[in-house]
Every structure is written in structure tokens, then in C-alpha cells.
Amino acid sequence: MSSKGNEAGHTLFISDLHLCSSRPAITEQFIRFMENRATRADALYVLGDLFEYWAGDEEIGDEHHRRVVLAFAALADAGIPCFFIHGNRDFLISQGFSSAARVTLLSDPAQLTLYGRHILLSHGDALCTDDRAYQAFRQQVRNENWQRSFLAQPLQVRKAQIEALRTRSEQEKSYKAESIMDVNPDAVAGLLRAHAYPELFIHGHTHRPDVHDIEVDGHRIQRWVLGDWYEQGSCLQLDATGCRPVLLD
Ligand code: LP5
Ligand code: MN
């Protein structure tokens, strides 16, 4: 049992909310989630793409983003620890955000043990290895020097560049085969092997919510894929009995 009434202890996982001021209904759903369901959890893990994009921690000054930051800080005030793994949209989230929101930034992938289970968490984009154009782009923008010079530009310039990139990304995605925008099974197996075969692997990014029972070198592993929040908010709830996907009201 958790310390929160007689509800069994559980942990929540979310990803791919893509919060932005132009989709206010999703932000409202997120705020309700943070003020209600999340306050009854033992912890909350955000597995990337919380924001539509993040151009640098000065974004905290934006009215919409500030509400999101305050929702995290309020959850911390309520005693619920919150952890964050970067997505491909918000990998520029840094210490400015984490200290204001009082979330702990984790590396990707992140290993942990919850309710006696060995778990691996990731955003998931690094596993889409068949998407060569994306992986080349990813390698470039995850470089520390590249990020330093990008962040040295004024915020408005960065945002304009990201908008241009978004347009290009959407165009390219419309030509790419669906299969190359999913995780590559060998990349998944390699990751699980390198992390001593966790019982559960949870990730987002592909927007293909599902559970896959896989076997790697004789080890049975559940791969849980989180859903996005474009049409409907959702989360994954883990307790001592296992994982359960939850659609939000
Ligand atoms: O995000 P999603 O799921 O729609 O698509 C991703 C891949 N696209 C991206 C791009 C982001 O959506 C854009 C927002 C990122 C903000 C980051 C801020 C800092 C970077 C600023 C750089 C100016 O991640 C998409 C994948 C898809 O997932 C499925 O896995 O296919 O990848 C692409 O479409 C990328 C293209 O294939 C390659 C683009 C090359 C662009 C090169 C010019 C960039 C110039 C500046 C960078 C050096
Ligand atoms: Mn993503």
C-alpha cells in the first residue's frame, strides 16, 4: 500500500504530450492530470516530448510553458518525485527547467528497479535506426558544441529555425515508409542485452501505443509503448502486479 490512502502504490509514465499554446485543451487535460491522478502516484516519469518543442530554458518565460512548469513544482510540493527523459522535441531542456519544475533529469536510457522489477526507460527515437536521415540529424544536434552555438543565438532566431525544421520534418515524414519510423527490432534487442535483460522496457516516440512480448537470448521482456496526447491523454500505470495502460477522461 502507498502512503496515499488505501490505494496500492503505483508509478505513472507519460510521453509525447507535445504541449503548446495552440492546443489549449491538451494543456488543460495535462494540468488536471497533474492536480489529480498524479498526486496519488508514488512517482511520475515523463519519457520525452512533453513540449511541441523547446528552444532553450528561456522558454520558461512563456506564459503557457510557465503553467506547465508550475504544475510540476506543485506536484513536487505534494511530495511526488518527478523524473524526465529528453525527447527529440525537447532535448534542450536543461537545469533552468529542472530546477524551476523540480524534476530530475535522467539519461536515455535509464535503468531502475520499481516494485522489485528491473525496468529500462527511453524516449525511443534512438532505436529508429532505419531512419537514417533522422539519425544523422540526431547525431548533429545532440552534440554539445552544436548545442552551445545554437543556444548562443537569440531565442526568436532559434524558434524560427525550429519552425523551419518542423516544416521540413513533416515533409520528409510524408515520404518515409511507416516501417522505418518504428523501432528496429535488432536495435531493441541490442539495447536490452546491453542492460542485462530488464523485465519491462517502456518508451514513447513512435505514437503506436501497445505492448509487445518479446524474447531476447531466452529472456522474456515486455516492451510497452506509450501513446501520444494529440487526441486523448493517456498514461501507463505500474504497480506490484504489472503495467496497465490508462486512458484519461
Ligand atoms: O518529432 P516527430 O515525431 O514529428 O518527427 C521525428 C523526426 N523529426 C524531428 C524534428 C523535430 O520534429 C523538430 C523539432 C525539434 C526541436 C529541437 C530543437 C533544437 C533543434 C533545432 C535545429 C534547427 O525530430 C523525424 C523522424 C520521426 O521523428 C520518426 O522517428 O522521421 O525526422 C525527420 O523528419 C528529420 C529529417 O529526416 C532530417 C532533417 C534534416 C534537417 C537538416 C537541416 C537542419 C539544420 C539545422 C540543424 C543542424
Ligand atoms: Mn519523439
Side-chain angles (χ1 to χ4, degrees):
M1 294 290 172
S2 73
S3 55
K4 297 156 196 82
N6 58 3
E7 202 173 353
H10 63 273
T11 293
L12 300 175
F13 300 86
I14 56 175
S15 72
D16 303 285
L17 290 81
H18 295 261
L19 299 177
C20 59
S21 55
S22 58
R23 285 194 290 268
I26 300 167
T27 302
E28 294 312 319
Q29 187 166 38
F30 169 71
I31 301 283
R32 282 200 303 279
F33 169 82
M34 295 296 272
E35 290 177 347
N36 296 292
R37 187 177 287 275
T39 63
R40 301 193 294 274
D42 293 336
L44 172 67
Y45 287 80
V46 182
L47 304 190
D49 288 359
L50 173 67
F51 293 103
E52 176 71 354
Y53 67 76
W54 190 259
D57 281 354
E58 303 97 313
E59 293 260 39
I60 295 172
D62 174 271
E63 196 184 331
H64 169 272
H65 294 353
R66 178 124 213 104
R67 277 189 77 203
V68 174
V69 166
L70 291 176
F72 279 103
L75 194 62
D77 281 342
I80 316 299
C82 186
F83 302 90
F84 182 88
I85 289 181
H86 291 117
N88 58 298
R89 301 288 192 102
D90 48 19
F91 60 84
L92 290 175
I93 277 181
S94 192
Q95 276 72 27
F97 174 88
S98 64
S99 34
R102 294 168 57 200
V103 307
T104 302
L105 299 181
L106 301 177
S107 58
D108 183 354
Q111 272 191 97
L112 66 159
T113 302
L114 287 174
Y115 314 110
R117 290 167 196 269
H118 175 198
I119 299 167
L120 192 69
L121 306 175
S122 176
H123 178 58
D125 59 317
L127 296 170
C128 301
T129 52
D130 295 327
D131 192 343
R132 298 281 177 83
Y134 171 66
Q135 294 301 334
F137 166 74
R138 186 181 194 275
Q139 199 175 358
Q140 186 175 3
V141 297
R142 296 301 180 101
N143 176 280
E144 212 176 295
N145 291 331
W146 182 89
Q147 292 188 6
R148 198 172 304 117
S149 53
F150 181 71
L151 290 169
Q153 303 176 99
L155 181 62
Q156 289 314 319
V157 172
R158 281 178 256 157
K159 288 174 92 158
Q161 288 180 7
I162 291 173
E163 294 293 350
L165 172 62
R166 288 281 319 120
T167 305
R168 176 152 170 198
S169 174
E170 286 305 309
Q171 272 168 359
E172 293 203 13
K173 275 169 38 178
S174 69
Y175 305 131
K176 288 178 187 174
E178 285 293 320
S179 58
I180 77 155
M181 292 190 282
D182 202 353
V183 296
N184 173 292
D186 293 336
V188 171
L191 183 77
L192 298 173
R193 189 176 293 122
H195 291 85
Y197 312 103
E199 203 174 321
L200 301 171
F201 173 41
I202 307 173
H203 70 86
H205 182 66
T206 60
H207 303 195
R208 303 176 199 209
D210 208 344
V211 58
H212 304 266
D213 290 303
I214 56 177
E215 197 171 309
V216 181
D217 306 335
H219 299 263
R220 297 172 78 165
I221 299 168
Q222 274 193 342
R223 176 169 74 89
W224 285 90
V225 188
L226 304 177
D228 65 64
W229 282 44
Y230 282 129
E231 301 289 330
Q232 160 114 51
S234 60
C235 64
L236 191 70
Q237 182 166 322
L238 169 71
D239 64 21
T241 65
C243 281
R244 179 169 75 89
V246 177
L247 287 180
L248 304 177
D249 297 335

